[in-house]
Amino acid sequence: MTLARSFTFLTISLSVLLSSFVAPTQSRMNGARNPSAAIQAINTDELRSLLKREAAGPLLVNFWATWCDPCRDEFPDLVKIDEQYRSKGLGFIAISLDDFADIKTQVPKFLQEMHASMPVYLLNVPDPEPAIDLVDPQWGGALPATFLYNAQGQIVYKRLGRINDSDLRAAIEKLVGSKQ
């Protein structure tokens, strides 16, 4: 084999080998987009913009972290709620309070395990207190915390701690059923 052919063969082999590492990720996620690509670090002002949804429909917001056991326990229920109600007009965002260093490691790994496909943000602020007060001044920052907003941006359901699946679904039904 000439040097040019050897180089071409090596290039093609390397391309095939590298593509085999990329493809399995998509199939393991059952068609969901890559969570690590979807995770975006946000500050308090960007959080304010996310929560300001003038007449955009109801919005479910869940604050969580990978180190929070109740958060991990309730996340499969939230994924099911997202799958069931997204087509009915429910917006859903998950906001991680993990360390910024985990945005490329623990957070996407967990989301992939959960088959999560909702938009995910990581709150990256030196002091979370202003963000907590922005969401709800009565919330002390304990995790998990779930808030359901109507189309007018008012909190119509709040759960500090693990969600009660049937209560949350009933609150969502009131919003998506009435097309607010």
Side-chain angles (χ1 to χ4, degrees):
M1 227 191 263
T2 67
L3 185 56
R5 283 186 182 185
S6 296
F7 181 73
T8 302
F9 178 75
L10 181 62
T11 303
I12 292 170
S13 298
L14 188 57
S15 297
V16 169
L17 180 63
L18 288 175
S19 68
S20 69
F21 288 112
V22 176
T25 302
Q26 186 108 14
S27 63
R28 282 194 307 261
M29 293 176 55
N30 296 331
R33 69 177 181 276
N34 184 349
S36 62
I39 303 166
Q40 178 182 342
I42 59 170
N43 61 32
T44 304
D45 290 334
E46 292 164 322
L47 175 61
R48 180 179 289 108
S49 294
L50 286 172
L51 298 178
K52 191 177 193 177
R53 296 175 40 96
E54 300 167 12
L59 175 67
L60 182 63
V61 182
N62 176 255
F63 291 87
W64 64 284
T66 58
W67 45 261
C68 165
D69 287 337
C71 302
R72 296 176 70 87
D73 291 343
E74 77 176 0
F75 216 86
D77 292 333
L78 293 168
V79 169
K80 289 176 188 170
I81 286 170
D82 179 42
E83 290 170 355
Q84 181 179 353
Y85 291 103
R86 183 184 303 181
S87 64
K88 297 178 181 179
L90 178 68
F92 180 20
I93 58 174
I95 300 177
S96 171
L97 298 181
D98 282 279
D99 290 331
F100 181 72
D102 294 332
I103 197 169
K104 298 280 187 205
T105 56
Q106 295 301 318
V107 176
K109 179 182 176 189
F110 175 74
L111 294 170
Q112 188 172 19
E113 289 170 4
M114 294 293 116
H115 304 287
S117 62
M118 75 286 289
V120 177
Y121 301 90
L122 187 138
L123 188 62
N124 185 27
V125 293
D127 178 14
E129 208 61 39
I132 290 168
D133 288 340
L134 168 71
V135 174
D136 183 356
Q138 296 173 347
W139 174 37
L143 295 178
T146 305
F147 301 89
L148 178 62
Y149 295 84
N150 63 17
Q152 293 74 40
Q154 301 160 325
I155 296 174
V156 295
Y157 171 92
K158 170 174 60 172
R159 178 68 179 173
L160 307 178
R162 193 183 193 300
I163 62 164
N164 178 308
D165 188 63
S166 59
D167 288 349
L168 178 54
R169 287 176 183 274
I172 292 169
E173 283 292 335
K174 286 181 185 175
L175 296 179
V176 298
S178 63
K179 303 287 187 213
Q180 282 192 4

